[in-house]
C-alpha cells in the first residue's frame, strides 16, 4: 500500500463545475496536509494547507480533512480552464514512521471550456 | 523579492561527468530539500537538511551528494555513479521541517 494515494486521472470537468480531488494516506500519526498545483513543465505551487478535521476555505478552493477515515480532499468551485494542472497531495509524517513530507503521484485535472 | 533560485534551468551531462545544481534561498528557512521528478511520477526525496552543516539521505540518495555550508545554499551534485540522471530536479525549503515546503523553478538534467 502506498503511503499517499491519489487517482491519477485525468479528471475531466466542464468549466464552471466543481472539481473534487481526493487523497488517502496510510499513517495515522500524520499531522499536516498540503495541496500543491503543478502546471505541465513547472514546479509545484502550494495552494492549501490543512491541519485539523473539517473544512478550510480559501477563495474557490476548499480543503477537507477527515483523520478518522484518513482522507483529505480538495474542492475547486467554478472550475476554470486555467485550473487544468496536476494536483499533488502531500502529507507530513514528522514524528511518525518516516519523519518527512510524503507526496502522492498527483491527479491530472482537465477543465473543458 | 523572497524566493528560491535554482540554476541552471537546463543542464546536460556527459558520460562520467559530475554536475552540480545550485539552490539558493533568501527566505531565511532552516530546512532545505532536493527532489527528483520523472515523467508521470511523483516527487522522490534525494537529500534534505534541517540545519546548517547537517543533512540526511532521502529515499534515493545513491549517486548524489550535497553540502550545507550556508543557511541559504544547498547545492546538489549528480555524480557519475548516478546511471539514470535524466529528470526534473526540484529544490524546496521550509521554515522548519514540518512546515509547508516551497519550491524553486527546477532544473532539467539530460545526458548527452
Amino acid at each position: 500500500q502506498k503511503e499517499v494515494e491519489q487517482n491519477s486521472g485525468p479528471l475531466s470537468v466542464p468549466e464552471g463545475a466543481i472539481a473534487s480531488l481526493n487523497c488517502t494516506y496510510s499513517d495515522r500519526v500524520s499531522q499536516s496536509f498540503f495541496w500543491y498545483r503543478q502546471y505541465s513543465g513547472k514546479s509545484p505551487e502550494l495552494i492549501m494547507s490543512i491541519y485539523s478535521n473539517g473544512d478550510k476555505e480559501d477563495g474557490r478552493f476548499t480543503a477537507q480533512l477527515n483523520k478518522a477515515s484518513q482522507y483529505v480532499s480538495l474542492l475547486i468551485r467554478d472550475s476554470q480552464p486555467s485550473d487544468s494542472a496536476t494536483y499533488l497531495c502531500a502529507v507530513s509524517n514528522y514524528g511518525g514512521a518516516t519523519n518527512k513530507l510524503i507526496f502522492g503521484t498527483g491527479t491530472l485535472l482537465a477543465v473543458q471550456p | 523579492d523572497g524566493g528560491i533560485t535554482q540554476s541552471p534551468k537546463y543542464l546536460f551531462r556527459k558520460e562520467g561527468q559530475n554536475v552540480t545544481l545550485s539552490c539558493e534561498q533568501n527566505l531565511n528557512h532552516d530546512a532545505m530539500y532536493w527532489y527528483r521528478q520523472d515523467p508521470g511520477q511523483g516527487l522522490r526525496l534525494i537529500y534534505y537538511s534541517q540545519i546548517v552543516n547537517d543533512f540526511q539521505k532521502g529515499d534515493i540518495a545513491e549517486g548524489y551528494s550535497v553540502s550545507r555550508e550556508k543557511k541559504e545554499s544547498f547545492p546538489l551534485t549528480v555524480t557519475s555513479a548516478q546511471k539514470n540522471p535524466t529528470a526534473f530536479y526540484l529544490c524546496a525549503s521550509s521554515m522548519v521541517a514540518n512546515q509547508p515546503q516551497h519550491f524553486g523553478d527546477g532544473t532539467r538534467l539530460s545526458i548527452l
Side-chain angles (χ1 to χ4, degrees), chain B residues 70-98:
Chain B
K70 298 187 296 181
K71 186 175 184 177
E72 56 270 22
S73 178
F74 191 40
L76 173 74
T77 296
V78 184
T79 74
S80 56
Q82 173 49 246
K83 298 306 180 189
N84 184 22
T86 297
F88 188 36
Y89 289 86
L90 290 158
C91 178
S93 71
S94 62
M95 192 170 298
V96 292
N98 63 350

Side-chain angles (χ1 to χ4, degrees), chain B residues 3-18:
Chain B
I4 302 168
T5 302
Q6 289 188 244
S7 62
K9 193 169 183 177
Y10 299 95
L11 187 58
F12 297 92
R13 195 193 85 170
K14 294 180 182 177
E15 189 85 27
Q17 186 182 40
N18 293 351

Side-chain angles (χ1 to χ4, degrees), chain B residues 11-57:
Chain B
L11 187 58
F12 297 92
R13 195 193 85 170
K14 294 180 182 177
E15 189 85 27
Q17 186 182 40
N18 293 351
V19 292
T20 297
L21 285 60
S22 171
C23 179
E24 304 275 332
Q25 54 99 358
N26 60 5
L27 300 167
N28 201 32
H29 285 174
D30 282 327
M32 297 186 74
Y33 313 82
W34 275 105
Y35 292 91
R36 168 181 173 144
Q37 188 174 40
D38 294 279
Q41 295 193 32
L43 300 173
R44 292 187 288 168
L45 183 64
I46 304 172
Y47 269 98
Y48 64 102
S49 167
Q50 298 190 27
I51 197 167
V52 175
N53 292 322
D54 187 48
F55 50 83
Q56 288 79 40
K57 293 181 180 180

Side-chain angles (χ1 to χ4, degrees), chain A residues 40-82:
Chain A
S40 181
K42 302 297 185 182
S43 63
E45 173 192 9
L46 179 70
I47 54 172
M48 288 289 282
S49 306
I50 187 165
Y51 304 95
S52 54
N53 280 330
D55 294 0
K56 179 182 177 183
E57 188 174 315
D58 183 0
R60 294 186 297 113
F61 298 103
T62 299
Q64 300 175 317
L65 175 60
N66 184 325
K67 289 187 178 181
S69 300
Q70 294 176 243
Y71 84 78
V72 56
S73 62
L74 179 71
L75 302 179
I76 307 175
R77 289 182 300 281
D78 188 23
S79 295
Q80 301 296 310
S82 58

